[in-house]
Amino acid sequence: MTPKWAGRCETCGAWNSIAEEASAPAAAGAARGAGKGRKLEFVALSGEAEPPARAATGIAELDRVLGGGLVGGSAVLLGGDPGIGKSTLLLQAAASLAESGRRAIYISGEESIEQVRLRARRLGLATAPLELAAAINLRDIAASLEAARDAAFVVIDSIQTMWLDTLEAAPGSVSQVRASAFELIRLAKSQGFAVVLVGHVTKEGSIAGPRVLEHMVDAVLYFEGDRGHQFRILRGVKNRFGATDEIGVFEMTEAGLAEVANPSALFLAERRGNVSGSAVFAGVEGTRPVLVEIQCLLATNAGGSPRRATVGWESSRLSMLLAVLESRCGLRLAGSDVYLNVAGGLRIGEPAADLAVAAAIVSAVADQPTDAGCVYFGEVGLSGEVRQVAQAEARLKEAQKLGFSAACLPRRVARGNRQAAAPEGLALAEIGHLGDLVARFLARAGKVSA
Ligand code: TYD
Ligand code: MG
């Protein structure tokens, strides 16, 4: 908070991120002088601690990301680009809960009753005993929720449309979003229902209402994906009741969001073996191994500085790898434009993808396909050394499960008896330095042209 106008946020350094806001009545100030505070009862750390009661939505991919289902009295923020499928997912979840006999309420501030009904019909959910309202006035909504004592699940779609008539600001402004969310979260806690707030993401990538909401809720989930692809990834970025970094994978179909139980098979479905510039990365998202194809295309640079473009991966990481390949492994790439793509629309954040990306690049340079039955993982350091990554076993097991026959991985240092055992039928090729990988491809390229 800043008392005067400022162009740049002192805390995070972002420009134009500060919004004006009228100060709230000084409630704390009023309490001051009204006598001493109540003395708190301190308790011991040991003692009764029940795991929170959860209601499974019946959509396994959603429940997984939530950490096993919705926790009563908790607040979840579901963020994502407009049109990505947030309303569809929540309508399906709410209908599923309602079908299972729990009271579920869906409040739409964006779409009319007719629009929601049409969608429900399209999803085959029109008969679910879900309670629906189109409203934006929070006073009405609060009164209705207070009366709905046995509600288990409430969807607010979206928090940006909610409007408290006691504030002058327009719906969608920071103060409206914050005050509305505060009121809804308070209601959820006092009534014991789980509330999901839908939040649109701005172009800059933050949930509108400069991230204020993220601090207020118990869990933050992002729904992401490429509109050009049918895959949708639900990602937990904060969760007070479960692990974060879990993902749920969905496919947007004619009949709504379908769960994808085996993402690797889906991401690899359109892979064509025997083309150069493609390598399979054995990744891990949360606790789940996911195999994806990394594609690299080299094009002759037409003059000017060479282009480096990535989809689904960090471009600074690509620049680093290219520099390592040039300086440490003797590859010449300065005259080429490099395009890198993670097939299927997945976004990878793991450094463990380095080795797979390098394999795709080297394969493109040598014009030699990688072994179609091989997966790659390992982090690459600046001197070209290939470093250990977490969860090697899980990655290898997934590769074996999907019928791969080999894995290219960091040289393993035996630490006590923590050496990962190779799953049966999987040949392991350990790589200590990126140069070894380059040498393999170049040797193969030489053999073919000779
Ligand atoms: P929606 O849930 O309205 O997105 P959000 O609430 O995040 O803005 O999803 C809208 C898109 O999903 C729309 O472009 C159409 C598509 N869609 C399908 O492909 N199949 C379906 O069954 C439904 C309901 C929507
Ligand atoms: Mg919507």
Side-chain angles (χ1 to χ4, degrees), residues 81-88 119 122-123 200 252-256:
D81 287 327
I84 206 72
K86 300 181 294 297
S87 303
T88 307
R119 170 174 295 152
R122 187 166 159 196
L123 297 172
H200 290 299
M252 185 57 100
T253 69
E254 278 301 297

Side-chain angles (χ1 to χ4, degrees), residues 151-176:
F153 183 42
V154 175
V155 175
I156 302 290
D157 188 1
S158 66
I159 190 65
Q160 274 108 0
T161 55
M162 293 297 125
W163 179 63
L164 258 175
D165 52 14
T166 47
L167 292 182
E168 266 184 36
S173 63
V174 185
S175 39
Q176 281 286 1

